[in-house]
Amino acid sequence: LELLWEPVQLNCNHIFCFVCIEDSLVYSNRCPFCRQNFTIKEIKINLEIQNRILNSFSTEQIENRKKIHEQSLFQKESFTRIIVEYGNTAIKDRDKYNSTVFVNVIKVIKGKLSKKNILKNQLIEKVEFNLNSFCSKSGFLVSSPPWEFTRSRCPEYNCHITITWNKFLRINPYEISYVVDYSSPKNIKHFILEVKQ
């Protein structure tokens, strides 16, 4: 095991290196240990834990870990990471259902793309929402922000989301299968897309 560097403590109390938990978002927004959901807002360096680590190890151990961390960041510099959230807002009042399914680019980090003056909503060209339900209309194409659609009188359903990125990114569309959930007023998931520049 490596020495923790820039530790992040999630709401479930599990602790990970900042870079490690950020990397895990490429695959899932669940804690790698207990599988509890977490949000991108939870990924903040815990300075108290960081200070305890710095005070508990020798200068040589700290410097070695710092070099490993810097090498890892250097290798990732050729990639731009696009953090995307998707999910739904939902209201179920007796037999009435209302839901809005959405996709948002919330942050662009690292790499060359983050240094350009590009608005987050310029990264997406269009979003297609295809429903698998008893709703009357099964497909929605949204070609300008906000990247969302709203349905009324539609019970829980599966939604297949296809995000087509702007041509300058030179990447294939990203597909998500998502179950619109009425168990809470807002359901959010994240993924990180790595783009080699």
Side-chain angles (χ1 to χ4, degrees):
L1 287 175
E2 291 181 351
L3 179 65
L4 273 174
W5 195 257
E6 297 182 333
V8 171
Q9 185 171 15
L10 302 178
N11 282 343
C12 61
N13 290 324
H14 291 117
I15 302 168
F16 303 92
C17 291
F18 180 86
V19 172
C20 298
I21 199 66
E22 186 184 67
D23 285 348
S24 79
L25 272 174
V26 173
Y27 307 102
S28 173
N29 67 323
R30 293 177 179 260
C31 169
F33 189 74
C34 71
R35 311 303 297 155
Q36 181 177 322
N37 282 344
F38 67 90
T39 65
I40 196 80
K41 293 173 184 165
E42 288 179 58
I43 302 179
K44 293 181 182 150
I45 297 167
N46 185 315
L47 296 177
E48 181 183 335
I49 296 171
Q50 177 73 17
N51 288 334
R52 277 193 265 161
I53 291 168
L54 294 174
N55 293 328
S56 300
F57 292 91
S58 70
T59 305
E60 183 181 345
Q61 289 171 311
I62 299 292
E63 287 302 314
N64 287 339
R65 183 59 180 101
K66 187 175 180 180
K67 285 178 187 174
I68 292 168
H69 176 73
E70 288 169 355
Q71 287 170 351
S72 173
L73 291 179
F74 180 76
Q75 290 170 350
K76 293 177 182 182
E77 191 62 31
S78 62
F79 288 90
T80 295
R81 291 177 167 203
I82 301 169
I83 302 176
V84 180
E85 72 176 4
Y86 64 97
N88 70 282
T89 57
I91 300 170
K92 182 181 177 185
D93 184 23
R94 296 186 191 139
D95 292 335
K96 296 179 182 176
Y97 298 87
N98 290 303
S99 64
T100 299
V101 179
F102 59 87
V103 172
N104 293 314
V105 174
I106 57 172
K107 194 171 185 182
V108 179
I109 54 175
K110 298 188 175 117
K112 297 174 185 174
L113 188 61
S114 63
K115 296 173 184 145
K116 294 180 181 176
N117 197 12
I118 296 170
L119 297 175
K120 291 182 285 191
N121 64 11
Q122 292 175 324
L123 300 175
I124 297 176
E125 182 180 306
K126 62 184 176 183
V127 178
E128 189 172 352
F129 301 93
N130 288 300
L131 313 182
N132 180 11
S133 71
F134 299 106
C135 298
S136 57
K137 187 174 179 184
S138 62
F140 300 88
L141 179 65
V142 181
S143 54
S144 62
W147 311 105
E148 62 185 39
F149 81 93
T150 301
R151 292 296 295 156
S152 298
R153 301 181 311 275
C154 202
E156 292 181 6
Y157 54 91
N158 293 328
C159 183
H160 185 82
I161 303 169
T162 304
I163 303 169
T164 302
W165 303 96
N166 201 312
K167 289 175 181 49
F168 70 84
L169 290 173
R170 296 182 303 250
I171 53 175
N172 293 328
Y174 192 88
E175 298 188 7
I176 306 163
S177 290
Y178 179 72
V179 177
V180 174
D181 186 2
Y182 287 86
S183 63
S184 63
K186 193 165 190 175
N187 301 287
I188 299 175
K189 297 185 178 224
H190 296 91
F191 69 87
I192 297 179
L193 185 69
E194 290 189 331
V195 182
K196 188 163 178 66
Q197 296 293 305

